[in-house]
Amino acid sequence: MAGASETWEENTDLLPRVAWARRSTRMLAVGVFIAAAIAAATYAVPPSRLDDPRAAEVLRTQAAGLATALDTTAKTAHDRSDQIASDNTLRAAILTDARTVADLVASNEWRLQPLTGETMELFQLDGDQVTSLVRTPAGAAPIRWMRGAGTRLENVGDSMHVVVTAGVERLKDGLGYKPTISGSLAVSDPIDLRAVRAQLASVAVSASIEGAGKTPLVVLPAAQGQAAGTPVRATIHPNPEWFGDLMLLVTPRTTLARPSWVGAVRIASAALALVLVAAALVRWRAASPRR
């Protein structure tokens, strides 16, 4: 009798635990279904157009690079113009006329030798009258004369040029030389934008620089048929001794993508479903009758 009593007590104590294990297994199964449904539902979230996330960083990098290029080009142009303006032949040439200077250049006795892409122009000043004596290369666009020794930016076609001027002191004074004549040498150097264009083209559909001239300089023409994002700007900070700040304006490319939270929810729901499956298996084994 004592053994039967003990068996009966064990069975009556086991029944509630088995019932609870089975009930909790069903609850876990429902949880698995819900978690799996949520993970599956994330695939139904429609993608939207998002700006290229690389655009902001590329924009900042190129703006900083342009500021360095402007400073380097301006310094080089000033050093060259000051050195050339002190040449005695140049100082004598400003006392003559355009035809004489042209003959002098043609004779190869004296040459203004510009760097690749560079333009030089020598001006004769007589009071308010400004005369261009020579420009080299001859087919280059004229340089707008600027009073004194200075620095400015100009848009020339699809490129940006740093223009500097240096005063040219007359070599001689005295009888036969008009005392009001002096000279000015202008040097125009382009900023190489090829690398900038290549970098911006990878993340943007259009780009321009504001502040380099009367109208914005188009760095990257607007790409036709491509979706454009929200324009972003970065300030170009060159040396204030030579230039004011400029603005690099970029319209980034867009890509079709789902919001970032979708992936996180999908992974979390799938992970939760797996955990619940494992827990349900443990509960199911606990609810199974022992033999």
Side-chain angles (χ1 to χ4, degrees):
M1 285 295 290
S5 175
E6 290 176 359
T7 303
W8 181 83
E9 290 177 356
E10 289 177 359
N11 288 338
T12 55
D13 184 56
L14 180 62
L15 289 175
R17 294 203 301 270
V18 171
W20 165 247
R22 289 175 176 175
R23 189 180 307 115
S24 61
T25 299
R26 289 194 294 270
M27 293 172 61
L28 288 171
V30 172
V32 169
F33 175 79
I34 294 173
I38 293 174
T42 59
Y43 288 96
V45 177
S48 57
R49 290 207 166 270
L50 303 176
D51 292 350
D52 192 317
R54 302 170 299 161
E57 180 61 28
V58 172
L59 177 64
R60 288 191 292 269
T61 300
Q62 296 309 309
L66 282 169
T68 300
L70 288 169
D71 292 344
T72 301
T73 303
K75 184 179 185 307
T76 300
H78 272 293
D79 291 344
R80 278 176 51 75
S81 62
D82 290 343
Q83 180 181 9
I84 296 171
S86 63
D87 181 81
N88 286 338
T89 304
L90 190 73
R91 295 173 59 199
I94 63 171
L95 298 172
T96 61
D97 54 31
R99 182 174 181 177
T100 302
V101 174
D103 291 342
L104 183 63
V105 172
S107 69
N108 290 325
E109 294 180 10
W110 173 76
R111 297 181 62 188
L112 281 176
Q113 188 63 46
L115 301 175
T116 302
E118 186 178 63
T119 302
M120 293 183 175
E121 191 159 357
L122 179 63
F123 297 96
Q124 182 187 72
L125 313 178
D126 186 0
D128 293 333
Q129 183 178 350
V130 180
T131 303
S132 175
L133 295 178
V134 66
R135 182 188 318 116
T136 181
I143 300 177
R144 180 170 54 88
W145 175 73
M146 177 171 56
R147 186 180 300 277
T151 314
R152 71 172 185 270
L153 288 173
E154 282 191 358
N155 298 338
V156 182
D158 62 351
S159 62
M160 179 169 58
H161 283 236
V162 173
V163 181
V164 305
T165 57
V168 180
E169 295 183 4
R170 51 190 292 139
L171 183 64
K172 298 180 180 180
D173 288 306
L175 188 63
Y177 295 101
K178 195 173 182 180
T180 55
I181 289 179
S182 61
S184 177
L185 176 67
V187 176
S188 177
D189 280 324
I191 299 295
D192 190 352
L193 297 175
R194 288 175 297 180
V196 176
R197 288 190 170 101
Q199 290 295 317
L200 292 179
S202 66
V203 297
V205 297
S206 66
S208 61
I209 296 175
E210 299 176 351
K214 294 182 179 179
T215 58
L217 172 67
V218 177
V219 177
L220 198 65
Q224 299 297 323
Q226 294 192 15
T230 304
V232 289
R233 299 170 179 263
T235 304
I236 302 171
H237 294 289
N239 188 335
E241 178 184 353
W242 291 321
F243 310 107
D245 287 348
L246 293 84
M247 192 68 66
L248 179 58
L249 175 64
V250 166
T251 303
R253 295 177 181 273
T254 61
T255 56
L256 279 174
R258 290 182 172 87
S260 58
W261 60 265
V262 171
V265 170
R266 182 182 303 159
I267 293 172
S269 299
L272 177 61
L274 291 174
V275 171
L276 293 176
V277 167
L281 289 174
V282 172
R283 290 291 186 184
W284 179 77
R285 287 175 62 87
S288 299
R290 297 179 181 178
R291 295 180 180 179

